[in-house]
Amino acid sequence: MKRRLLPCLSLVLVLLFSTGTQAAPTYVGTWGLKARFVNNQPETPVRVKTLVLHQAVFSAVTAAPPAKACSLSGAMTATAAAFKVQVAVSGCPAPETTGAQVVYSYTLGPDGSELTLGFTGPSGPIREVYERLTPVQSGSATCGHPFCGVWNRTATYVAAELMHNEPAHTVITEKDYYSIAAACFNKCSMDQVTGDPAAGYQVTMTMRAHNCPVGPVDPTPPGTVITANWKVSADGQMLTIVDTRYGTPVTTEFRRIQ
């Protein structure tokens, strides 16, 4: 009996350890646009655009001219040569609108430091060349805080009264926070995280860019420091952020996508 069990036990151990250390796909990470071509003609100046790729979520933020600022995010199926994206939220023009399905061809440089995307726009073929902004993930990569991943905003309350439940993909990395909605986006740096799971966390961020509509005075211009209380559910699937900067608590709830 022992002779029969030992090979099975060895196989189980191999599977457990190989699964736990499985490397993330080489495209996973944050990328910055460095060149863009429309109908093989270079775009000048090059727009400021960031691409954040998870294993099954595609997110992009265009923060400055020559294009109109916009953002998009959606579920992604990846093959060896293409990303097939079902756009869930977007403020971008065609073909990257909400509900659209976009296929991006892609190639990775030999050392994984460069990514080239190709797709068809209204004016013809588009080619975008990105440089990697984060290290290649190897093994079971971890994050220094419990918030990394992609979340979907499910509700926002002011003084416990529901204000809206418009979806917004919220992409959080080790050092950055992106809120991507149909109306607008905002990008913040994750500066400091203190606390613990039981009591909750205090998170300090700095606003870096946004294209949200504002009145005569922008309440959160770039450089604004934002401190709020964050708490993740025990199963890690729900995130609650409470912002008390304006006196009345603003509570936003999120559900984890990835």
Side-chain angles (χ1 to χ4, degrees):
M1 183 66 69
K2 289 183 180 179
R3 291 178 181 176
R4 292 181 181 178
L5 286 176
L6 284 175
C8 295
L9 178 59
S10 300
L11 178 59
V12 169
L13 290 173
V14 168
L15 289 173
L16 284 174
F17 283 109
S18 63
T19 301
T21 58
Q22 185 176 5
T26 50
Y27 60 76
V28 169
T30 304
W31 304 82
L33 183 67
K34 66 176 185 178
R36 191 172 192 267
F37 303 84
V38 180
N39 287 321
N40 292 319
Q41 298 301 309
E43 178 182 81
T44 306
V46 181
R47 65 190 64 191
V48 177
K49 184 175 181 180
T50 304
L51 191 65
V52 186
L53 299 180
H54 288 76
Q55 189 161 349
V57 180
F58 179 104
S59 305
V61 174
T62 299
K68 181 180 180 181
C70 75
S71 60
L72 69 100
S73 182
M76 176 177 73
T77 302
T79 67
F83 300 132
K84 186 176 181 180
V85 179
Q86 185 67 46
V87 181
V89 288
S90 173
C92 295
E96 300 171 312
T97 53
T98 299
Q101 188 174 90
V102 186
V103 177
Y104 304 88
S105 64
Y106 78 93
T107 56
L108 281 162
D111 63 354
S113 64
E114 186 174 280
L115 171 73
T116 301
L117 285 186
F119 62 103
T120 302
S123 302
I126 295 172
R127 179 164 52 94
E128 297 181 333
V129 183
Y130 293 84
E131 59 184 344
R132 182 180 288 279
L133 302 179
T134 52
V136 176
Q137 294 185 18
S138 59
S140 52
T142 59
C143 182
H145 53 73
F147 311 115
C148 285
V150 184
W151 307 78
N152 190 37
R153 182 179 65 194
T154 56
T156 298
Y157 302 86
V158 176
E161 182 180 350
L162 179 65
M163 289 291 102
H164 64 80
N165 56 2
E166 297 170 7
H169 279 198
T170 299
V171 182
I172 303 175
T173 70
E174 179 81 22
K175 297 182 179 180
D176 294 299
Y177 171 104
Y178 305 85
S179 176
I180 298 172
C184 62
F185 74 86
N186 60 67
K187 175 186 177 181
C188 302
S189 59
M190 297 280 288
D191 301 329
Q192 187 176 40
V193 178
T194 58
D196 58 71
Y201 297 83
Q202 185 177 73
V203 178
T204 300
M205 304 189 298
T206 301
M207 177 64 70
R208 297 303 180 191
H210 74 78
N211 69 334
C212 295
V214 296
V217 178
D218 183 351
T220 51
T224 300
V225 176
I226 303 166
T227 300
N229 297 316
W230 295 36
K231 192 159 188 176
V232 177
S233 61
D235 63 0
Q237 298 305 300
M238 301 298 295
L239 169 64
T240 302
I241 299 177
V242 181
D243 187 343
T244 58
R245 283 178 294 155
Y246 305 110
T248 302
V250 177
T251 302
T252 308
E253 297 177 345
F254 304 84
R255 177 181 55 81
R256 184 182 288 280
I257 299 174
Q258 186 175 333

